[in-house]
Amino acid sequence: MVLTVHRGDRLADTPMIKLEEVTKVFPGATRPAVEDLSLEVGEGEFVTLVGPSGCGKTTTLKMINRIIEPTSGRIEIGGKDALAVEPHILRRSIGYVIQQIGLFPHRTVAENMATVPRLLDWDEARITQRVNELVDLVGLEEEMLARYPAELSGGQQQRVGVARALAADPPVLLMDEPFGAVDPIVRGRLQEEFLDLHERLGKTVVFVTHDIDEALLLGTRVAILNIGGILEQYDAPEAILAEPVNAFVEDFLGGERGLKRLALRTVSEADLSPGPVVSVDSTVDEARATMSEHEVDWFGLLDADGMLLGWVPENALDGTPLAELETRPFALSLSPHSSLRQAIDAVVTSHARVAVVVDEGRYLGMVDLEGIAEEITE
Amino acid sequence: MIDWAWIGRNLDQIADRTWQHITLTLVSVTLGILVSISLTIVILRWRRSYGPITIAAGILYTIPSLALFAALIPLVGLNATNAIIALTSYTILILVRNFVAGIDGVPAATVEAADGMGYTRSARFWRMEVPLALPVIIAGIRIATVTTVGLVTVSVVLGLGGYGFFIYRGFQARQMTQTLVGLLLSIVLATILDLIFLGLQRWLTPWAREPRR
Amino acid sequence: MIWDQVVAFLQDPTTWSGPNSIPVRLWQHVWISVAATVIAVIVAFPLALWLGHRRRGADIAGAVVNIGRAVPSFGILVLTVMILLELGVSVLSPWPVLVALVALAAPPVFTNTIAGMQGVSRSTVEAGRGMGLTEGQLVTGVEVPLASPVMVEGLRIALVQVIATATLGALVAWGGLGRFIVDGFSQQNQGKVLVGALLVALLAIVAEVGLTLVGRATVPRGVR
């Protein structure tokens, strides 16, 4: 018997996960690790639990799948009492990803992924099909299925960990600092890909992290916990940044909150100006005209399809047709997904005080400080 | 069960056997240490020799003590030399493994720092690596010593035996007291020597002490 | 001189058949060693498995190792035999020797099983538990396979220890290959002693090498 949840099973506004006055006191401890915590997570939400060491975020997460049993309180998953089911049955319908990953070193990648389906007695054909689906889903190559965990890099192992958790298509996914053990570059990629995955799959995710930036980036709602499991603020990232509810939250958010808010908004929201840009089939005079119009000593060059080739300084103009001029690449370019914070950084770094926005090579426009400032003050 | 009177009557025998047991143990362990140090130095120079040396030492270690004593008789006769050669052989596997593991266990960063400060190779070895390897080295010596105390009892077949003499005589005479005395004294001696080496280890490595809470 | 004795011993037909022959003594030695080890496993393994799985008993295991080393196996053998003699068991019976050997084989099996189980990474076990494996499935599917090299090593240490002490069984009126050594002594037959010693040494080495290979083979693929 598995805790399956169907859309029709419960009222539309029943939360997927509900914690009601949950308390955990560890044996021998003088104070509770988590005290009277009440929290609700709606279906499809991505909730990040964040807070300082000792705030009980990991303990709370582990109570949801009863790796740690609550001392008191009520936990409901999909509207049903989680404490009334055998723990191992409960866990087979919840995906669980941990920081150290914990792949079985003596089983192949495919076998690792097939763990829960096997526990649920799926037939071989279904398992094989699912494993092949999963490999694509997490961005790995098929040939990795026959490999052993020791042969994979940290990032690859973590992808297998995520795939393993998703194998039986659980409605809920619990993640405990899953990207903490990999280097920052890989972590950034994993975060982006996981956000994508969440959009596609619509799972309900509870994600624990100690990194406030990660929490704000990933969560649709962020729960900020204080020591002892006290819930200080639980709201959308924008709302928390705009109005932290008390000094603790303010402190925890850290400085430069304004910049953090900018990190949540993208360039696509800003107005782009066309900038001093001409295409290769324009004339040299047109190039000069656009330079003087924008009062700059350089211009950008596009090819016939609108792809950005680079920029050219004024003194390189000597009558040669534009198509034959050597272009220099822009030091930094933004995509429509880049955050406004990255945009400011690019603008400030650039010699010309502008940043180009490019979508897979195609030139979209330029931003400058004014354009960004307008967007902020709106 | 225990005939205390027997103990009272045989105190000088017990003293003699104690002396015998201690000397057999300490001589063998000392020789074992000397041989193992030489072998360790060879291994540290030529890593490839680690395999063959541990295999050879391992073979010697696997041979049951009675068999080894017996096999040495045609070579050296039935005497203390026989016992000592055999007992020494048994220590080599343990000691060499621990000596090498101890040196290997010194953090590479520490070694590099020493080099960077201008230590010569030999100074670095004796003043830096060996002291830091001491806990593991002495642990090996403790294990070897305690094991040897046990094996000395078997040398009773060579006419020696230390406390093994009492163990065996007790069986032959169906006298439980003698056997128990032999067994218990053996355990006591092993424990005392173990504690002495433990104390030595603590004394020699003040930096490894747990910080006071 | 000794060589002649060896040759004479090997040419003697009773060496090869009859109650005092090599095959008979070898069989006694092998069966008692294997039996003692198997019984030790039956006695020690379940408890050690449970303790290791619950991540307890590391201290007990450590204490067991230390005590095991300080107690001379010869002493235990003789003591066990004498106690059982007191209880009326015949001096020619193999049971006292068997009991002593089980007592000597149990500690390494116990200690290594605990050590092997506790050596399995906690995160691997937690991940398994989080996925819904029952405790039993964790033990059989995850912990034991990953702990098996260390556990087999414990078995190896036990078996070699038992073979060595079984040799001493000849000193307490039992049989086994040690019989040739002890009889040879009393008969002043150095050749016999030597042959006995070689046979015992060989048996011990075969057991050691054999179980080392088994140990290597039990390392699960993926962990090699």
Side-chain angles (χ1 to χ4, degrees):
Chain A
M1 191 218 94
V2 162
L3 202 74
T4 46
V5 176
H6 301 288
R7 278 195 173 277
D9 272 7
R10 37 182 193 88
L11 300 174
D13 46 327
T14 311
M16 180 59 105
I17 301 176
K18 183 168 167 181
L19 296 161
E20 225 175 86
E21 283 171 28
V22 172
T23 300
K24 177 64 188 175
V25 184
F26 283 108
T30 42
R31 278 169 318 183
V34 174
E35 192 168 8
D36 281 340
L37 177 64
S38 296
L39 191 69
E40 281 177 21
V41 180
E43 190 183 351
E45 279 204 270
F46 193 136
V47 167
T48 46
L49 295 180
V50 68
S53 253
C55 70
K57 52 193 190 290
T58 298
T59 305
T60 303
L61 186 85
K62 291 190 186 186
M63 285 198 280
I64 298 177
N65 69 352
R66 294 174 62 189
I67 292 282
I68 295 179
E69 296 280 6
T71 312
S72 70
R74 192 172 160 78
I75 299 181
E76 274 176 30
I77 301 182
K80 302 181 188 149
D81 184 1
L83 300 171
V85 192
E86 285 286 328
H88 62 270
I89 301 286
L90 175 70
R91 291 168 193 155
R92 292 174 194 180
S93 38
I94 299 179
Y96 186 48
V97 184
I98 56 179
Q99 183 181 70
Q100 308 91 330
I101 309 169
L103 293 182
F104 300 140
H106 59 306
R107 305 252 178 93
T108 61
V109 166
E111 287 163 353
N112 265 280
M113 290 188 192
T115 308
V116 183
R118 268 190 217 287
L119 286 176
L120 295 174
D121 272 324
W122 286 20
D123 61 78
E124 279 308 310
R126 193 176 167 202
I127 295 181
T128 314
Q129 184 194 31
R130 181 64 178 155
V131 165
N132 284 317
E133 272 169 32
L134 289 167
V135 150
D136 281 330
L137 198 66
V138 295
L140 287 171
E141 284 153 32
E142 249 191 67
E143 55 110 14
M144 287 191 190
L145 286 174
R147 300 240 205 114
Y148 286 94
E151 305 172 59
L152 305 180
S153 72
Q156 290 169 329
Q157 282 185 18
Q158 195 44 287
R159 286 168 203 260
V160 175
V162 172
R164 190 174 64 163
L166 291 170
D169 206 16
V172 173
L173 204 57
L174 300 179
M175 305 178 83
D176 188 4
E177 315 229 31
F179 307 142
V182 296
D183 66 68
I185 296 177
V186 175
R187 187 183 316 149
R189 238 187 304 158
L190 286 175
Q191 284 170 342
E192 250 181 66
E193 286 181 29
F194 192 72
L195 271 178
D196 248 344
L197 206 64
H198 177 246
E199 251 182 68
R200 266 193 284 165
L201 299 177
K203 304 269 176 223
T204 307
V205 178
V206 181
F207 188 108
V208 164
T209 175
H210 65 276
D211 180 352
I212 184 65
D213 290 317
E214 185 175 50
L216 293 167
L217 175 68
L218 297 177
T220 54
R221 271 207 288 175
V222 177
I224 301 194
L225 295 171
N226 203 343
I227 310 240
I230 312 293
L231 185 61
E232 298 284 2
Q233 193 167 0
Y234 184 31
D235 211 335
E238 251 302 321
I240 296 182
L241 283 169
E243 284 175 35
V245 90
N246 59 24
F248 169 77
V249 175
E250 246 185 78
D251 272 338
F252 193 74
L253 290 174
E256 302 180 351
R257 279 202 335 267
L259 283 179
K260 289 199 165 89
R261 291 175 65 191
L262 286 177
L264 296 175
R265 302 172 60 187
T266 60
V267 162
S268 54
E269 298 173 39
D271 283 327
L272 305 176
S273 66
V277 159
V278 290
S279 104
V280 278
D281 23 308
S282 315
T283 64
V284 173
D285 285 330
E286 279 169 329
R288 282 196 207 279
T290 199
M291 276 194 287
S292 66
E293 195 190 310
H294 286 87
E295 291 170 7
V296 293
D297 57 356
W298 59 274
F299 66 93
L301 201 56
L302 302 180
D303 72 7
D305 299 315
M307 309 290 267
L308 182 65
L309 295 170
W311 64 277
V312 181
E314 181 169 19
N315 49 38
L317 279 182
D318 54 3
T320 340
L322 297 180
E324 290 161 36
L325 284 176
E326 219 181 277
T327 60
R328 302 184 193 178
F330 283 92
L332 273 168
S333 63
L334 303 166
S335 82
H337 298 306
S338 304
S339 69
L340 287 183
R341 185 179 180 171
Q342 286 170 306
I344 293 188
D345 184 54
V347 167
V348 158
T349 316
S350 118
H351 198 53
R353 295 278 179 267
V354 290
V356 286
V357 182
V358 158
D359 185 4
E360 304 200 340
R362 277 194 74 248
Y363 177 74
L364 293 179
M366 282 189 194
V367 283
D368 56 13
L369 282 175
E370 252 187 69
I372 298 177
E374 263 178 41
E375 191 50 40
I376 297 174
T377 51
E378 246 167 47
Chain B
M1 262 265 148
I2 294 197
D3 177 4
W4 298 103
W6 177 88
I7 298 179
R9 281 195 307 270
N10 289 282
L11 280 175
D12 38 336
Q13 260 257 49
I14 294 178
D16 282 341
R17 293 296 170 179
T18 303
W19 177 243
Q20 186 181 59
H21 208 125
I22 293 180
T23 41
L24 282 174
T25 304
L26 293 181
V27 169
S28 307
V29 171
T30 309
L31 279 177
I33 293 176
L34 293 173
V35 170
S36 302
I37 289 180
S38 328
L39 288 174
T40 304
I41 293 182
V42 166
I43 290 172
L44 291 175
R45 258 282 144 128
W46 292 288
R47 272 291 151 160
R48 293 236 196 98
S49 60
Y50 184 64
I53 289 181
T54 28
I55 291 179
I59 291 178
L60 279 176
Y61 185 78
T62 306
I63 298 175
S65 49
L66 182 57
L68 192 54
F69 288 143
L72 285 173
I73 295 176
L75 293 170
V76 287
L78 261 118
N79 48 33
T81 310
N82 182 328
I84 290 175
I85 293 178
L87 293 167
T88 305
S89 320
Y90 286 121
T91 63
I92 301 205
L93 180 67
I94 302 168
L95 292 173
V96 167
R97 275 219 291 243
N98 273 56
F99 288 5
V100 174
I103 299 282
D104 280 348
V106 176
T110 314
V111 170
E112 213 181 290
D115 278 340
M117 283 190 279
Y119 270 91
T120 62
R121 240 184 105 180
S122 110
R124 184 195 80 196
F125 183 74
W126 292 108
R127 303 241 228 111
M128 180 79 62
E129 296 180 85
V130 169
L132 286 174
L134 271 181
V136 180
I137 288 177
I138 297 189
I141 295 178
R142 280 169 57 201
I143 296 175
T145 305
V146 170
T147 313
T148 305
V149 167
L151 290 172
V152 166
T153 57
V154 181
S155 67
V156 68
V157 298
L158 296 173
L160 302 158
Y163 296 135
F165 176 79
F166 296 125
I167 294 176
Y168 195 47
R169 280 298 298 152
F171 171 72
Q172 289 175 320
R174 296 289 186 270
Q175 212 187 359
M176 185 72 87
T177 305
Q178 277 203 63
T179 301
L180 272 176
V181 165
L183 178 59
L184 291 171
L185 286 176
S186 230
I187 298 176
V188 165
L189 179 62
T191 310
I192 291 178
L193 289 175
D194 190 39
L195 290 173
I196 291 178
F197 278 113
L198 185 60
L200 182 69
Q201 176 190 326
R202 296 243 169 103
W203 180 65
L204 286 174
T205 59
W207 61 81
R209 292 200 196 123
E210 309 269 272
R212 306 241 185 95
R213 288 177 195 262
Chain C
M1 242 278 284
I2 183 178
W3 182 242
D4 299 324
Q5 284 178 318
V6 169
V7 171
F9 178 59
L10 291 175
Q11 286 179 330
D12 182 346
T14 64
T15 302
W16 299 99
S17 72
N20 257 323
S21 62
I22 291 180
V24 168
R25 296 295 180 202
L26 178 63
W27 170 244
Q28 286 172 337
H29 210 119
V30 167
W31 93 253
I32 214 176
S33 304
V34 170
T37 310
V38 166
I39 296 174
V41 166
I42 293 173
V43 165
F45 190 68
L47 178 65
L49 203 64
W50 184 77
L51 284 172
H53 174 68
R54 303 293 235 102
R55 305 261 160 180
R56 280 187 215 151
D59 302 325
I60 305 178
V64 163
V65 170
N66 284 332
I67 295 174
R69 257 189 229 128
V71 174
S73 39
F74 182 46
I76 293 294
L77 179 67
V78 172
L79 186 67
T80 313
V81 169
M82 292 190 61
I83 291 178
L84 287 173
L85 282 182
E86 202 91 358
L87 296 175
V89 180
S90 156
V91 74
L92 297 174
S93 145
W95 298 110
V97 176
L98 183 62
V99 168
L101 291 179
V102 170
L104 291 171
V109 171
F110 183 74
T111 305
N112 272 47
T113 301
I114 291 186
M117 291 289 281
Q118 297 205 350
V120 176
S121 149
R122 272 177 200 262
S123 359
T124 306
V125 176
E126 189 183 301
R129 193 172 279 136
M131 282 190 286
L133 286 158
T134 63
E135 297 303 299
Q137 287 166 329
L138 277 173
V139 170
T140 53
V142 179
E143 292 179 292
V144 167
L146 291 173
S148 49
V150 177
M151 299 196 293
V152 171
E153 186 194 28
L155 201 67
R156 190 188 89 217
I157 294 172
L159 184 61
V160 172
Q161 163 91 295
V162 160
I163 290 176
T165 312
T167 316
L168 300 175
L171 289 170
V172 287
W174 183 66
L177 291 173
R179 195 81 257 143
F180 296 125
I181 300 177
V182 171
D183 285 348
F185 257 112
S186 50
Q187 294 161 4
Q188 310 264 27
N189 187 342
Q190 287 309 311
K192 201 180 209 182
V193 171
L194 195 58
V195 172
L198 286 172
L199 286 171
V200 172
L202 242 113
L203 180 62
I205 291 175
V206 163
E208 166 94 8
V209 170
L211 279 180
T212 305
L213 292 175
V214 169
R216 294 223 187 118
T218 59
V219 176
R221 233 174 323 128
V223 179
R224 287 192 192 152

